[in-house]
Every structure is written in structure tokens, then in C-alpha cells.
Amino acid sequence: AAGEAQCLSYTGCNFLRQRLVLATLSGRPVKIRKIRAKEEDPGLRDFEASFIRLIDKVTNGSRIEINQTGTTLYYQPGLLYGGSLEHDCSPSRGIGYYLESLLCLAPFMKHPLKILLRGVTNDQVDPSVDILKATALPLLKKFGIDGESLDIKINRRGMPPKGGGEILFSCPVRKVLQPVQFTDPGKIKRIRGTAYSVRVSPQMANRMVESARGILNKFLPDIYIYADHMKGVSSGKSPGFGMCLTAETINGTILSAELASNPQGQGAAVLPEELGRNCAKLLLEEVYRGGCVDSTNQSLALLLMTLGQRDVSKVLLGPLSPYTIEFLRHLRSFFQIMFKIETKTPEEEHMGGEKVLMTCVGIGFCNLSKTIR
């Protein structure tokens, strides 16, 4: 009965990943009811089922109960175990969907995580593997999670609908996290990027690079966009192309933007020139929004601040995304932690959109399962 009292209850399919990740870290069981109960095809989708299987793989002793229709899920978390694993992600969502959650969990495993994920590396919905490699890994390093073994390696690219991509993610374990004071983003000093094309003409990548540079060169001379054309086995099963751009500041803030072509057989064909231009504009918009962490990684930064030592952490963010706002609510229910939120107007900061300064005192989370050598 004591266990039942601790159980958190939710309804609906939204924010399933957040709930399962926070349940795993806090050790509190969750029950989620009425998952798409009113739809013609009720219950969990294949990508959600695949995500639950992944959580089951990285933990040891988790109890997962799903009713027959798949509309109710009960999850009692076990210990984060880690080790060397493989997982086939559902091609209906990008690998980024799974990787985002693994980035939250990996530092707190018992054994360092090395996992091979197969599926769609770049799509229009989830953050691509390139973006997570360029932005999330430097963010983890800020909190003291670093070392040679922190890496995301792209072995093959896979575009929707069929996927066929493959990446290797490895992350060391840490006993405790460092608090951070990350309040001055600094000025932009360089822009880096990747224009990738698979199963289409290699010229596509060059055309995207040209048009993106046409816009960005007006602002900054130091631009290098790498054209990545994968052939043969490493190009996955579907054709496509796209672009990822990152802007780096003098203080080590990294802001990102990306776009991918429409999946084969869906929507109108996109011109590479247009995609390159739009991606450059998206990057400029992200720079305007500003902050020390881009909108993709807001929730990761807030989670690491929460789990830090019992000390003050501060991070300046751009406008909060709806996903992040919900994440803050979840942090409160799982860890009883509240953030102090101060808005900074553009006049105070002399640039861009409205910013938010997030301050909290970490809960002093300690990785008890880490083996002491």
C-alpha cells in the first residue's frame, strides 16, 4: 500500500517520454490511463511501444504492465543498468525521439552506456542525430559529463519512410553533477553545418550550401558547411536530403536549426536552394530567440540543473517552448522542485527576443548504482 501512495497518475498520450524518464530517475511508479481511448485505433502507437521496450532494455527490474487495448500503462521503474545494447527504433519517428531521452538517463547508469540505434536519422519531426551531437553533447560537458567515451557516431544515414540509418551512442557515468552558472550567451563567432544527401544527386548538397551561404555571409565571414554524401549501404533505404546548421558563440553557446526534405511520396518536392535558404533563416530566428541553450535542449538543461548538487544553478534561456513548460510541471510533481523564473526584456539584454533566467537549487541527486572502482 505504501508503494501505491507514491504512484503518480496521468491521462492521455501526451508527454509519455517525459513521464517515463522522470519516473525512472525519481524511482516513482506512474500509471497512464486513456491513451487515445476515443480514437478509432486506440492505445499506444508502435513508436511508443518501441520506446517502452528501450526503457526496459536500459533498466534492470522494471515492471511494465499494459492492458489488452494498450490504453493503460503502468510502469514501476527498476535500476538504470546500461552496458552494451542494440535497439531497432520504429521508422515512424526519428532516432532523435529515443536519443533525447537516453541523453537524460545515460549519465546515471550503473555501467557506461554503449548503444547501437537503428532507424531514421533525419526527419521533419524529431531533432536529428546531427543536431543532438552538435548541441546536446557540449551541454552535457558543461555539467561535468565528459570524457572520450561521450560520443554520437553516425554509421549510416536513414531517411523516412523506410529508415535504415544506424548510430552508436556512448556515454560515461557520473556520480554527481556540477552546478552551472550559464547566463551570458556571448556573441556569435562562427557557423558550422552539414548538408547531407542520400540516394539523390550529390549536387543537391552543394546547391543547399550555396543558397544558405548566400544569406549567412551577409552577417558573418566564418562559415563552413560540410557536404556529406553517403553512398551504398550507408545511405539507408529511402532518398532524401537536408541540412543542419549550428551557430557557436565566444562563450561556447551553441544554437541550432535544421530542415529535411519531404519523405518520398509525401508532399511536394522541395528545391534544395529553397531548403538551404529556409534553414539559414531558421538559424537566424534561433539566434534572435537566443539564450544559452537552444530550444531543442531546454528540457535537458533544466533536468541536469534539477539533478545537480545542492547548490544554485542559473541558465538563461530563450522563450520557453510548450514542451519545456510541461516539463517544468512534471519536474515539480516528480522531484518537488520549483524554478525561479525571471524574464529579461530585450532592452536589458540589448538583443533578440525576450529571455528567461531560470534559477534553481539542485536536489543533490546521487547515482547510487554507479560501481565504484
Side-chain angles (χ1 to χ4, degrees), residues 210-219 276-278 280-281 284:
E210 284 300 307
S211 60
R213 291 193 70 118
I215 288 185
L216 297 172
N217 271 343
K218 295 176 192 165
F219 302 96
R277 272 197 303 274
N278 290 343
K281 285 175 187 165
L284 295 175

Side-chain angles (χ1 to χ4, degrees), residues 18 31 54 98 129 153 172 192 205 246 273 288 310 353 366:
Q18 287 186 9
K31 189 163 192 178
L54 176 63
Y98 304 89
V129 182
K153 186 163 174 258
R192 295 286 177 266
T246 54
E273 285 83 4
Y288 174 79
R310 292 184 184 278
C366 190

Side-chain angles (χ1 to χ4, degrees), residues 21 65 143 314 344:
V21 166
E65 294 168 13
F143 288 88
K314 289 185 178 186
K344 301 273 183 196

Side-chain angles (χ1 to χ4, degrees), residues 310-355:
R310 292 184 184 278
D311 201 346
V312 178
S313 285
K314 289 185 178 186
V315 171
L316 185 74
L317 298 178
L320 297 179
S321 65
Y323 186 81
T324 310
I325 292 167
E326 194 60 41
F327 192 73
L328 284 167
R329 291 183 185 134
H330 280 123
L331 281 176
R332 191 181 66 190
S333 38
F334 281 99
F335 290 110
Q336 287 78 51
I337 188 162
M338 306 274 272
F339 279 78
K340 180 180 170 201
I341 304 178
E342 302 164 72
T343 50
K344 301 273 183 196
T345 56
E347 288 74 51
E348 289 173 61
E349 294 293 318
H350 309 297
M351 52 202 165
E354 283 205 354
K355 312 271 189 296

Side-chain angles (χ1 to χ4, degrees), residues 186-201:
K187 295 204 163 24
I188 304 259
K189 63 172 177 182
R190 59 172 174 222
I191 290 177
R192 295 286 177 266
T194 307
Y196 56 87
S197 54
V198 292
R199 301 195 169 268
V200 292
S201 152

Side-chain angles (χ1 to χ4, degrees), residues 115-173:
I115 185 163
L116 196 67
L117 297 170
R118 298 189 192 87
V120 174
T121 54
N122 305 77
D123 69 354
Q124 294 174 319
V125 189
D126 299 294
S128 70
V129 182
D130 304 79
I131 287 291
L132 290 174
K133 180 175 179 171
T135 59
L137 296 190
L139 182 64
L140 288 175
K141 286 178 183 160
K142 294 254 188 310
F143 288 88
I145 306 161
D146 53 1
E148 288 168 17
S149 55
L150 179 65
D151 190 32
I152 296 175
K153 186 163 174 258
I154 303 169
N155 299 335
R156 301 174 180 176
R157 282 192 189 279
M159 299 289 287
K162 293 194 182 120
E166 182 180 284
I167 67 141
L168 181 66
F169 169 54
S170 53
C171 179
V173 287

